[in-house]
Amino acid sequence: MFNHREMLRVMGLSNSCQVELVSFEHHREPLGIGESRPRLSWTIATAEPGWVQEGYEIEVRLASGAKPWSSGRVASEDSVLVALPVAVPSLVSRQRVEARVRVWGKGEVTPSPWSTWAWAEAGLVEPGDWTAVAVSPSMDPGEPPGAALLMRREFVVPKAVKRARLYVTAWGVYEVEVNGCRVGNEILAPGWTSYGERHLYQTFDVTALVVQGSNAIGAMLADGWFRGRVGFQGGVTRLYGERTALLAQLEITFGDGSTDVVSTDTSWVCSSGPIVSTGLYAGEHYDARRERTGWSSAGFDASGWALVEVTGYDASLLVAPQGPPIRAVEVLAPKRVERAPSGRLIVDFGQNISGRLRIRVQAPAGHTITFRHAEVLEDGELSLRPLRQAKALDQYVAAGRGVEEWEPRFTMHGFRYAELEGWPGDVEEGAVEAIVCHTDMRRTGWFECSDALLNRLHENIVWSMRGNFVGIPTDCPQRDERLGWTGDILAFSPAASFLYDCSGMLASWLADLMAEQDWLGTVPDYVPWVPLTFPLEPAAAWGDAAVFVPWTLYQRFGDLGILRAQYPSMKAWVDQIAEVAGERHLWDRGFQLGDWLDPTAPPDRPEDVRTDCFLVATAFHARSAAIVAEVATLLGQADDHLHYRDLARDIRVAFIDEFVTPSGRLSSDAPTAYALALSFDLLPGDQQRDRAGRRLTELVRAGGYRIGTGFVGTPLICDALSSVGADDVAYRLLMQQECPSWLYPVTMGATTVWERWDSLLSDGTVNPGDMTSFNHYAFGSVADWMHRRLVGLASAEPGYRRILVSPRPGGSITHAAAAHDTPYGRAAVEWDRNGQRLEVVVTVPPNTTATVRLPDPAHCPVEVGSGRHTFACKFRDPADDVGPSEPDPVDIRGEVRPQRRRPHARPSGGSIAGNT
Ligand code: BGC
């Protein structure tokens, strides 16, 4: 019997869903956005199984209480990145937009209730909206790492304030205070972009800080990336300019609707302050005796302060952020405090992070405490050598004013251990904490299984993402580098897109990549580009990030807009390489990084690997051309599609001619070569595919199921094995604990993913190479296979509009689960294996479907709609078939070496990236 509600529903007269989480573009915080027509996304909460949206209505208003525009009922299933109704005027600067949504499910006559109103507010969208001048401190010492200077002015507010916004940025890094209160909680604002092309500004709501009567605004200004030291081998300073500057425009709206603007101008004054010196690599030196108490409050005596000078700037380069800012996101208490053999005091936070310390201390005036940071210990002492020229040294000089609290402002370090020199007395509880800082993205992905080591591996991968998503996607957070290496993010972006909503942050970084590309004519190996001794020549897999990263973002976040924005960049990259490859379509010359850090490479020659670097290069060229052909179709560029499709076909033919034997062996008989050919569809037919698949499994087996791949092969190897039905081999690789393997570092106590398979050698000493980071995410790319294949939760249509559920249990794992907040809501897969029975529970978000493919030949794939579904099937692990007669693995390292096509010459002028 139906109850009344169900009866209405069956008749289509009631609605069982609620619209949740209406959001604008990829913004987590929609204050000060740059898009004039921000697209809307929403998710649906419903208990109704198989719920599909049949229509929606959007209402938009430009002021609370104003009459809204309505889209009317739009017959559409779209709920992700939906355009505003055409009648809505484009946002102008400062304008606030509010939107709400209601929806109809299939066959429903009655709409859902309206969502609550969601809002976004435009920043200063037009260059002409910037009326403030930028000012530089006149008493600028100009020596990086320089002091952070203080700048201030006072102003009077005649009437009650209704609303106040601060639009602000710096050529350098800044923190602002209004009336003694810190504005916002961003770290290292405005963040690093290719400043010559794009420069971020921030928008803050300071309504609660500005008062009727006397006010003061103050800023601390330091060098940051703009003028400080960046890069390896000594790096460069003054990369973007000689002088730091601040640009602030405080706009106040009064109750009566009138407005006032308080800007940076010549009425500001400046002074030195407590930050004696600060640098991203060097660390910060703070002398609390030099604090200017009350400096950002009204009534402060600034009579001795110096004037500021007006500097010019190009307002057309100022852009609003697309992703969240860097923030302090977690506080860690020490796990252990102990004396090193030398007697030094060492604090262990139990976790390798990017961030800095926060201290509470009582000491006499002038007493100095020095803090050093390191990722690992060697012989019980901090191992500082991996930092190379980064000093990572903070110093605090006490003011002698009772308990003093301090955290550096304009520096960050990669560390698990801190050494405290000059600490007075014991380290009491709460006296020293580690502050984890990174881009404040929303966590969206989780994994868990019955194997504790794999869980820790996954946890380490998450921590390495956190350690390196710091404004831009960096290689490492600790040494004199921290650059936006393109190859690293190419490898890691699929895993990253599952774990956190990095869409806005990476879209912003891609805009930099494109800007640098325009300027330089090629995709630099790191973005923003810093002219070091590194060659500015195209390199495969690194430069291909221009194509792969936007493609990944499209698959995972369903944003065609990212492809549209990056399309010129994607094409320019492929065109440039097509030019290099010429009529033979082989990319067989020039500088390459190859399968960087394949474990057989000697410590001092990370590019000296088993796979021909030009096989790698030509494979990437083929795949990038094929992706661009697909993108052309999506963007309605029919001619481009034909052009790139043909190009991809020609490169593929050239690859096969040059690198594949008629039977399906590859000229480089190494796992990476096979993984590339299988993953990028570069084998002529099924026969060769089978042969290549067999050879790949033979190689992995002969390698003792230890890793034989570097940056290029590692993200592909497990998928390549899966694609030829060798999941069991992939599992043996994944579960391997001997070095090199993913779990070896875990067994060595790693809490992040290492740069090298053996960053720490088995005797506990640090790898002798000059490039030994303990926090590099590239090898963590395997998390993507763990989510998609091990657990079986994958996006089958952009943005997970269709989900592919294809769990492939293996190893000794009896239980595994993953969950992901897709743009449509939470999707989850969980399986339990009991002998030969497999039970799978699938959660499909509303307005999506899932194809469920169970690992049982008797089970046909099924399509299911939203809701929770439970399946059970028989499961036979192919590994169970491997009897004891299986020959012992033979270590092929050193035995099978390909003929090198050309020695991997270093560019003139020394070693690459200081990696010697
Ligand atoms: C970085 C890498 C990068 C490589 C390429 C290294 O110094 O840390 O992750 O991709 O150089 O040369």
Side-chain angles (χ1 to χ4, degrees), residues 446-450 498 786-794 803-809 813-820 826-833 837-844 852 854-855 867-873:
W446 298 267
F447 166 91
E448 174 264 319
C449 74
S450 54
F498 185 92
M786 292 160 72
H787 306 142
R788 284 186 293 100
R789 189 75 180 178
L790 189 160
V791 180
L793 171 50
I803 296 164
L804 176 62
V805 177
S806 60
R808 287 296 177 277
I813 302 170
T814 53
H815 164 84
H820 178 56
R826 171 77 50 98
V829 177
E830 179 164 3
W831 56 253
D832 283 281
R833 185 181 157 194
R837 185 185 149 83
L838 182 73
E839 194 175 297
V840 184
V841 181
V842 179
T843 306
V844 182
V852 180
L854 299 182
R868 195 163 182 274
H869 309 271
T870 305
F871 302 88
C873 69

Side-chain angles (χ1 to χ4, degrees), residues 228-237 281 388-390 480 532 914:
R229 191 168 299 282
V230 222
F232 40 86
Q233 292 175 335
V236 291
T237 57
Y281 302 154
R388 298 195 308 217
Q389 295 186 34
D480 53 352
L532 299 163

Side-chain angles (χ1 to χ4, degrees), residues 19-36:
V19 179
E20 291 191 318
L21 268 182
V22 178
S23 53
F24 293 85
E25 291 292 327
H26 299 287
H27 295 292
R28 192 175 187 192
E29 295 154 41
L31 179 66
I33 68 170
E35 298 87 357
S36 55

